[in-house]
Amino acid sequence: MNFGPLTIVVYVALAALVLYRVVYKQLRGTMLSRKSLVTLPLVLTAIGVVTIVDALPKASTGELALLGADIAVLVVLGLGRSASTTLTRQGNTTFQKGSALTLVLWLATIGARVGFGFLGGYLGIDDSLTSASIMLTLGLSIGIQNALTYYRIEQRGLPLAEQSRPVRA
């Protein structure tokens, strides 16, 4: 894969954001709200869609196939990550805590994403779509993870806190 300086900075910043906001918080445990389940995957997916707009029309069949396989694998890993967390009621919300398996699945997610990039290079597939789609694929993976988490919360009748701004008088 051919990374320019800006691409490397974006990847490092994204990795730091995901490691803290998602991985660290899941392993340490965090209170959940609708906002916390929706915001990050929505933002990452939206940025990802905007980012791939230029690369998509120029993408070869190989690039599109690689992107489809990448998304499929990351969606499955997202489902596994959700299933590997425990959900418990704490006050008026649900507390989510990851396990050792959650960490392994996050490492597999990172490995799969990097692996697809190298696979594309090995197969001689241009990496412009692979590079442009990182936020999209990560947003979709976290989004499917959070969708299953929300489904599990609903199935168990657990509450979710509403994170609204306080009304000023």
Side-chain angles (χ1 to χ4, degrees), residues 32-82:
L32 297 177
S33 68
R34 282 179 182 78
K35 181 179 177 182
S36 70
L37 289 172
V38 171
T39 304
L40 184 62
L42 186 63
V43 168
L44 289 174
T45 302
I47 292 171
V49 167
V50 169
T51 306
I52 68 165
V53 166
D54 288 335
L56 204 52
K58 302 173 209 163
S60 68
T61 304
E63 285 179 286
L64 294 172
L66 196 63
L67 177 60
D70 190 3
I71 290 171
V73 168
L74 294 182
V75 162
V76 169
L77 287 168
L79 293 171
R81 290 190 315 266
S82 175

Side-chain angles (χ1 to χ4, degrees), residues 16-164:
L17 173 71
V18 170
L19 285 173
Y20 173 73
R21 294 282 303 174
V22 180
V23 180
Y24 174 74
K25 281 188 167 188
Q26 281 179 12
L27 295 176
R28 181 192 62 170
T30 188
M31 301 292 198
L32 297 177
S33 68
R34 282 179 182 78
K35 181 179 177 182
S36 70
L37 289 172
V38 171
T39 304
L40 184 62
L42 186 63
V43 168
L44 289 174
T45 302
I47 292 171
V49 167
V50 169
T51 306
I52 68 165
V53 166
D54 288 335
L56 204 52
K58 302 173 209 163
S60 68
T61 304
E63 285 179 286
L64 294 172
L66 196 63
L67 177 60
D70 190 3
I71 290 171
V73 168
L74 294 182
V75 162
V76 169
L77 287 168
L79 293 171
R81 290 190 315 266
S82 175
S84 72
T85 63
T86 57
L87 302 173
T88 55
R89 181 185 186 113
Q90 284 197 358
N92 67 340
T93 193
T94 298
F95 184 77
Q96 177 186 39
K97 182 149 178 42
S99 64
L101 180 57
T102 310
L103 177 59
V104 168
L105 291 169
W106 267 113
L107 294 173
T109 300
I110 294 165
R113 188 62 174 101
V114 171
F116 275 107
F118 283 114
L119 177 62
Y122 176 76
L123 296 174
I125 298 172
D126 181 41
D127 70 344
S128 58
L129 184 60
T130 301
S131 297
S133 65
I134 188 167
M135 290 194 200
L136 174 67
T137 57
L138 194 54
L140 292 173
S141 184
I142 295 170
I144 197 72
Q145 175 183 348
N146 290 355
L148 179 57
T149 298
Y150 181 78
Y151 176 79
R152 291 174 58 214
I153 289 167
E154 289 292 310
Q155 289 297 320
R156 295 177 185 178
L158 295 169
L160 274 176
E162 294 298 326
Q163 285 183 340
S164 58

